[in-house]
Amino acid sequence: MNGDTDLKIKNLRKYFGSNKVLNGINFELREGERVVVLGPSGSGKSTFLRCINWMEEPTAGEIILDGTPITEKNVRAMRQRIGMVFQHFNLINNLTVMDNLLLAPVKLKLMKRDAAKKRAQELLRHIGLLDKANAFPASLSGGQKQRVAIIRAMMLSPEVLLFDEPTSALDPESIGDVLSLIRELAGRGMTFIIVTHEMSFAKEIATRIVFIDKGKIIEEGTPREFFEHPKTPRVREFLKKVL
């Protein structure tokens, strides 16, 4: 990546029938940025992430990665560069932890199986779960599942990571473990967008906060600007309820 704009979103719209979930979002993400997306439930935050890597096909607008628009024709290649971590882990229950990690790189022929296995072992060792390599997801705690899901996304060495409420299904102790891992990725300069309800973490980790309501970006700024000097009545009302 070249330090120029890496991800550019122009007039993104997503409609489900008459339900207009995203109503013209314009957004840019530069290399090394950590953007936290906040907003009320149902505001379009998760749909925004799912449109970026075409898990939901946009109704209108453009998503451009390093100058190349993402389309139906190139979406598989683009997904290798944009990793996704889901709220409910999305691990495949009838595969072991190791096989979950190997599936994408080996199936997509991006890595030889031996090389992929070595990388998976290194990542599992790093998060303290090497002893779970041959376990099935059902035997893991929620926090363990989510940390495995994060390193699964890292197996392809993505340029951008999308986190969709990665701690909302976890107990308090597990939340700390998962946030520590995300904090570590931030320390390594990972570029990411995260939807979260963890306000103190948002203040700490974000280079920029984006607030979405009714499918539009209402306000954005640095964490200090956003939390200490909100510009719009809507954001002031939101912060009164969540802080």
Side-chain angles (χ1 to χ4, degrees), residues 29 32-36 192 202 204-209 221-223:
L29 181 73
E33 278 197 296
R34 302 180 300 277
V35 174
V36 172
F192 61 74
E204 171 202 341
I205 206 79
T207 54
R208 180 159 46 114
I209 306 271
T222 66

Side-chain angles (χ1 to χ4, degrees), residues 46-79:
S46 292
T47 302
F48 173 55
L49 290 196
R50 291 172 70 86
C51 282
I52 290 174
N53 73 347
W54 271 57
M55 296 194 71
E56 296 288 355
E57 185 177 342
T59 303
E62 276 190 307
I63 298 160
I64 301 162
L65 184 63
D66 281 345
T68 303
I70 300 178
T71 65
E72 209 170 331
K73 289 179 182 174
N74 66 13
V75 69
R76 282 188 70 173
M78 290 300 192
R79 278 193 192 132

Side-chain angles (χ1 to χ4, degrees), residues 98 102 105-106 110-122 155:
M98 178 58 74
L102 298 182
V106 173
L110 298 170
M111 298 172 85
K112 291 274 197 294
R113 188 177 176 86
D114 287 350
K117 191 169 184 180
K118 188 177 177 190
R119 176 162 172 76
Q121 287 170 334
E122 286 167 1
M155 283 290 292

Side-chain angles (χ1 to χ4, degrees), residues 17-200:
S18 61
N19 184 15
K20 298 181 176 182
V21 179
L22 298 178
N23 289 302
I25 285 186
N26 294 291
F27 173 85
E28 292 187 11
L29 181 73
R30 292 183 178 276
E31 186 173 2
E33 278 197 296
R34 302 180 300 277
V35 174
V36 172
V37 179
L38 300 178
S41 294
S43 58
K45 304 183 300 292
S46 292
T47 302
F48 173 55
L49 290 196
R50 291 172 70 86
C51 282
I52 290 174
N53 73 347
W54 271 57
M55 296 194 71
E56 296 288 355
E57 185 177 342
T59 303
E62 276 190 307
I63 298 160
I64 301 162
L65 184 63
D66 281 345
T68 303
I70 300 178
T71 65
E72 209 170 331
K73 289 179 182 174
N74 66 13
V75 69
R76 282 188 70 173
M78 290 300 192
R79 278 193 192 132
Q80 294 163 28
R81 300 170 62 192
I82 303 176
M84 182 103 178
V85 177
F86 302 89
Q87 182 176 353
H88 294 292
F89 328 124
N90 285 30
L91 297 174
I92 298 171
N93 287 324
N94 63 350
L95 295 181
T96 65
V97 165
M98 178 58 74
D99 286 336
N100 266 280
L101 296 178
L102 298 182
L103 185 64
V106 173
K107 192 174 180 184
L108 296 170
K109 297 186 168 64
L110 298 170
M111 298 172 85
K112 291 274 197 294
R113 188 177 176 86
D114 287 350
K117 191 169 184 180
K118 188 177 177 190
R119 176 162 172 76
Q121 287 170 334
E122 286 167 1
L123 289 168
L124 283 169
R125 187 179 294 113
H126 186 72
I127 63 169
L129 292 177
L130 184 57
D131 62 326
K132 302 292 187 184
N134 296 314
F136 288 91
S139 70
L140 304 182
S141 70
Q144 289 171 332
K145 287 178 189 173
Q146 193 59 290
R147 284 184 290 148
V148 168
I150 291 171
I151 65 168
R152 176 183 59 183
M154 295 303 294
M155 283 290 292
L156 298 178
S157 301
E159 296 163 40
V160 178
L161 261 184
L162 309 175
F163 293 94
D164 187 10
E165 299 193 29
T167 60
S168 64
L170 303 179
D171 62 85
E173 189 175 12
S174 298
I175 287 172
D177 290 340
V178 169
L179 294 183
S180 289
L181 182 52
I182 298 171
R183 200 176 279 120
E184 186 189 325
L185 294 175
R188 288 197 225 153
M190 187 77 213
T191 306
F192 61 74
I193 306 171
I194 179 169
V195 172
T196 183
H197 295 292
E198 303 290 332
M199 293 297 149
S200 59

